[in-house]
Amino acid sequence: MRMSHLVGRTMREDPRDATCPSHRFLIRGGYARQVSAGIFSLLPLGKRVVAKIEAIVRQEMDALGAQEVLMPVVLPAELWEESGRYQNVGPELLRFRDRNDKNMLLAMTHEEAVVHLARTEINSYKQLPATLYQIQTKYRDEARPRAGLIRVREFTMKDAYSFHASWECLDEFYEKAREAYIRIFERVGLDNCLCIESDPGMMGGDVAHEFIAVADCGEDVVFVSPDASYKANREVAMAAWKYEKSDPLPLEKVPTPGKQSIEEVAGFLGVGPENTGKAVFYTDSDGNLVFAMIRGDFDVNESKLRKILGVAELAYADDEAIKAAGAEPGFASPMGLDPEKVKIVVDNSIAGSSNLVVGANEKDFHYKNFNLDRDLPDVETVDIALVRDGDPCPLTGAPLKALRGIEVGNIFKLGVKYSEPMNCRFLDSNGKSHPMIMGCYGLGVGRAMAAVVEQSHDEWGPIWPLSIAPFHVHICALDPAKTGVRETADQVYEALTAEGVETIYDDRGAKAGAMFSDADLVGAPLRIIISPKTLADGEVELKKRGEKEGERIPLDALIYVVKTRLNGASDPRK
RNA sequence: CGGGAUGUAGCGCAGUCUGGUUAGCGCGUUUGACUGGGGGUCAAAAGGUCGGAGGUUCGAAUCCUCUCAUCCCGACCA
């Protein structure tokens, strides 16, 4: 590619709203342009990177025996009514009507569509297992897109769906898929990508993993033990908290006028937040009131609570609902509440602590010296606490470290969540009908590109791994009007291209500094600098992206050296 | 959905508080010259519904009302 004809100009200054490196460089380098909030066009450079990621994904999926298909982005609502998601999913599902007033939607994922295929094409155990995948646009009407290409509304995703006659078969395939994902992320150059257990959430099923590319601008928080033996995302993370109990003191009602929050109450009574009990009220999807109690220095992990209660959604309860159950907002206590009206869930931290300050269910009063086993006996406690940075690892006891990361992939054991309601069944060898056991496997292609930039860049631009670099070699012809420079550069470009080396050639005759800066933004692993200075000795310079000094190579050995470098090092960054 | 901020040339910004001729600057773009190793110098040029609508006024980028868009923090999130 001659740079003089490449569409997609580079920019010297950061776009105003770019906050993280991938956003800055992908815009400045001419990889992508924003069209609307969370909606981007890819320019040739970006399209090349994405195509390479897709090629790697295809290879690994094909190696798993998965078969590529293509399903529509626009789907009829009735298909989603079958699974129940048309009602269950919130406004992030974009719904609209076609000209015949029929309810339609933009697919945010394709379980329904793939089940529609599978239930007509697959009927017998003899056809199982089977895996279908596609690389297709998804749309999620995110409330707030952010961080450039990391959280967007329209995006390209590889999604695969496996169908099995037995759970054992799913388990076996799931593990293979998990390993394939690890290989994919290695190959695209995400050096720091964690595969961790995650909360299946609304997806259903009980096993799920997500792949988190560690990066400061990521939105997900994961906890990792120092020896990496334990890693889990914030929703499911546990810790080996230690508690100390002391002798129980008599319960004492004390006035706490206007002091409602933990901070206020603890400050007013001169104790630490760890000496208080926090009351958090939720309403579940069926309208039931839930009272979660946890020590004042912890926060409630809603994912854990949802799982324990077996409910899909929890929202903070309003004051009216709390009062209706006999509790006083801001001064609430589990003591004396009617278990018929409110479901009480108590965290282990409460059982492990003594003489806590809790509400008195009376405005402007709290109790001192609450002890669970004495004051609220026969309550089974559970873990509903959110892990904090530095909490002890459940395996080793060492302090857990909180890391931020970008979720670049997730895999789920779906089981029969979709096949059952949607009637996707097969006949076994005895002629009996069963719902197919399913797994699904998602991977964000554009996100992966952004994540690589997050993990591999310097102050000038991306440092692409060879595997997904838009070009492998970048030729800079310095001062091309001088004797032989343009001719030599043309010849080198033609020769490399003829050899199948993906080469971009800066033939614009720009200032050296401008060319170097643009070459840094393009981020090709190898750079050839052709200038009068070295050409006089029959040499050119060869330099790795990110290195300050290059080396001189005799012109007649150049093609050979470049090819050797590219073949020899799978990752020229190292 | 709550809180905050911003919309002026392709990009980054000034001008708005305190209304007053043809709306500026830097980068980029085009033309020419000198240059030539991390965005050089000089000369010339093109490029604007000042986000939109309504209003106040002799006069609005500037004041008022409404509206749209984008970003940030939070809520939310297959």
Side-chain angles (χ1 to χ4, degrees):
Chain A
M1 182 77 217
R2 282 177 185 263
M3 213 150 166
S4 53
H5 295 294
L6 179 69
V7 175
R9 66 167 83 230
T10 57
M11 285 179 296
R12 196 166 170 175
E13 289 172 277
D14 286 337
R16 180 166 52 156
D17 42 28
T19 50
C20 52
S22 64
H23 192 192
R24 289 169 49 212
F25 293 136
L26 291 175
I27 299 299
R28 275 184 48 197
Y31 294 81
R33 293 289 180 254
Q34 181 166 337
V35 177
S36 183
I39 298 180
F40 288 81
S41 289
L42 285 181
L43 286 157
L45 233 37
K47 178 61 188 166
R48 288 181 71 99
V49 175
V50 159
K52 293 189 174 193
I53 296 173
E54 289 175 355
I56 291 170
V57 169
R58 279 199 175 88
Q59 273 183 17
E60 293 291 345
M61 294 314 291
D62 291 345
L64 271 180
Q67 304 171 52
E68 186 167 3
V69 294
L70 189 63
M71 294 176 276
V73 178
V74 175
L75 294 171
E78 59 206 29
L79 199 53
W80 279 52
E81 279 166 355
E82 286 188 47
S83 68
R85 287 164 107 196
Y86 191 69
Q87 289 78 19
N88 294 341
V89 177
E92 64 270 18
L93 175 64
L94 186 61
R95 300 153 218 252
F96 61 98
R97 288 168 192 269
D98 68 9
R99 65 195 300 163
N100 295 319
D101 224 26
K102 178 174 165 163
N103 285 317
M104 307 294 283
L105 57 89
L106 287 187
M108 48 202 290
T109 171
H110 280 82
E111 281 75 16
E112 287 82 357
V114 80
V115 163
H116 172 263
L117 276 185
R119 70 185 173 189
T120 52
E121 307 303 324
I122 303 174
N123 325 319
S124 159
Y125 74 97
K126 292 178 188 168
Q127 295 170 283
L128 294 175
T131 302
L132 298 175
Y133 79 98
Q134 65 173 349
I135 296 177
Q136 174 65 296
T137 299
K138 304 274 185 278
Y139 186 87
R140 289 178 197 167
D141 214 9
E142 295 283 353
R144 183 151 98 79
R146 65 184 101 181
L149 295 224
I150 291 170
R151 188 171 194 75
V152 289
R153 291 146 88 196
E154 193 199 270
F155 56 99
T156 303
M157 182 173 172
K158 186 286 298 176
D159 47 324
Y161 307 88
S162 67
F163 299 86
H164 309 268
S166 71
W167 279 95
E168 295 69 39
C169 183
L170 169 63
D171 291 345
E172 196 181 312
F173 183 82
Y174 184 88
E175 181 53 27
K176 280 188 195 157
R178 203 177 67 83
E179 287 160 12
Y181 265 54
I182 292 170
R183 272 196 303 277
I184 289 169
F185 292 123
E186 270 174 16
R187 288 182 63 186
V188 301
L190 283 174
D191 296 329
N192 195 356
C193 190
L194 306 171
C195 172
I196 64 179
E197 263 193 64
S198 64
D199 177 15
M202 291 195 7
M203 289 298 291
D206 42 25
V207 177
H209 287 86
E210 60 190 17
F211 295 80
I212 301 284
V214 175
D216 290 338
C217 76
E219 299 182 278
D220 292 284
V221 175
V222 299
F223 289 94
V224 184
S225 64
D227 62 0
S229 61
Y230 181 78
K231 46 194 178 182
N233 86 8
R234 199 168 131 98
E235 279 75 49
V236 300
M238 296 182 296
W241 289 291
K242 290 193 186 70
Y243 307 108
E244 278 182 30
K245 298 197 72 156
S246 50
D247 292 336
L249 300 172
L251 205 60
E252 182 188 343
K253 191 165 166 181
V254 292
T256 49
K259 310 295 179 194
Q260 299 203 10
S261 71
I262 290 296
E263 218 170 75
E264 287 168 350
V265 173
F268 182 74
L269 295 175
V271 299
E274 68 281 5
N275 297 315
T276 67
K278 185 188 284 184
V280 191
F281 288 90
Y282 295 95
T283 312
D284 71 16
S285 21
D286 301 325
N288 302 313
L289 189 67
V290 177
F291 182 154
M293 189 183 194
I294 193 165
R295 217 172 65 183
D297 53 329
F298 286 97
D299 285 310
V300 174
N301 181 328
E302 284 182 31
S303 298
K304 287 183 183 175
L305 186 57
R306 271 200 303 268
K307 212 169 191 174
I308 285 163
L309 295 168
V311 300
E313 276 186 72
L314 285 175
Y316 287 123
D318 53 39
D319 286 0
E320 280 174 37
I322 297 171
K323 281 180 182 162
E328 179 63 32
F331 304 91
S333 150
M335 287 183 289
L337 293 187
D338 181 356
E340 294 291 311
K341 288 183 181 166
V342 53
K343 166 93 180 157
I344 297 173
V345 182
V346 181
D347 184 65
N348 294 333
S349 57
I350 297 289
S353 308
S354 309
N355 300 324
L356 298 171
V357 172
V358 301
N361 281 336
E362 184 179 331
K363 192 162 165 35
D364 296 337
F365 285 96
H366 278 80
Y367 278 115
K368 281 166 84 169
N369 304 326
F370 173 85
N371 291 275
L372 185 74
D373 40 11
R374 180 189 68 196
D375 301 321
L376 199 67
D378 303 325
V379 169
E380 198 181 326
T381 62
V382 290
D383 172 23
I384 53 167
L386 212 45
V387 173
R388 302 158 303 188
D389 192 32
D391 279 342
C393 169
L395 300 180
T396 65
L400 289 169
K401 194 170 162 51
L403 294 175
R404 297 191 76 84
I406 302 162
E407 184 183 350
V408 287
N410 49 32
I411 60 178
F412 299 87
K413 289 184 186 176
L414 291 176
V416 298
K417 180 175 161 87
Y418 295 91
S419 52
E420 182 90 74
M422 294 187 69
N423 216 20
C424 179
R425 308 176 74 86
F426 68 98
L427 294 177
D428 68 14
S429 55
N430 299 317
K432 281 189 67 179
S433 168
H434 306 275
M436 295 182 204
I437 316 282
M438 291 177 60
C440 78
Y441 316 87
L443 190 153
V445 175
R447 245 188 203 187
M449 169 169 73
V452 169
V453 179
E454 290 296 329
Q455 290 193 356
S456 184
H457 67 267
D458 59 13
E459 60 178 308
W460 303 100
I463 303 178
W464 296 110
L466 184 64
S467 60
I468 65 167
F471 292 96
H472 294 167
V473 174
H474 195 124
I475 300 172
C476 294
L478 296 195
D479 206 358
K482 287 276 165 55
T483 322
V485 171
R486 167 144 287 159
E487 292 72 14
T488 306
D490 283 352
Q491 283 164 16
V492 170
Y493 172 62
E494 299 297 341
L496 284 172
T497 304
E499 290 282 345
V501 176
E502 296 178 51
T503 305
I504 185 164
Y505 168 24
D506 195 339
D507 58 339
R508 299 170 305 171
K511 299 292 297 183
M515 283 201 201
F516 292 153
S517 292
D518 283 352
D520 288 336
L521 284 168
V522 172
L526 288 179
R527 184 179 307 174
I528 294 168
I529 301 160
I530 298 173
S531 71
K533 194 166 88 183
T534 61
L535 214 51
D537 303 330
E539 294 179 332
V540 298
E541 281 163 89
L542 184 64
K543 180 167 131 169
K544 285 186 202 171
R545 172 68 180 84
E547 269 185 3
K548 195 77 187 154
E549 292 298 319
E551 54 184 318
R552 285 179 167 226
I553 306 286
L555 192 51
D556 48 17
L558 180 65
I559 306 298
Y560 173 79
V561 171
V562 167
K563 288 191 69 179
T564 314
R565 289 288 159 82
L566 291 176
N567 295 335
S570 63
D571 191 346
R573 292 179 299 170
K574 289 168 186 160

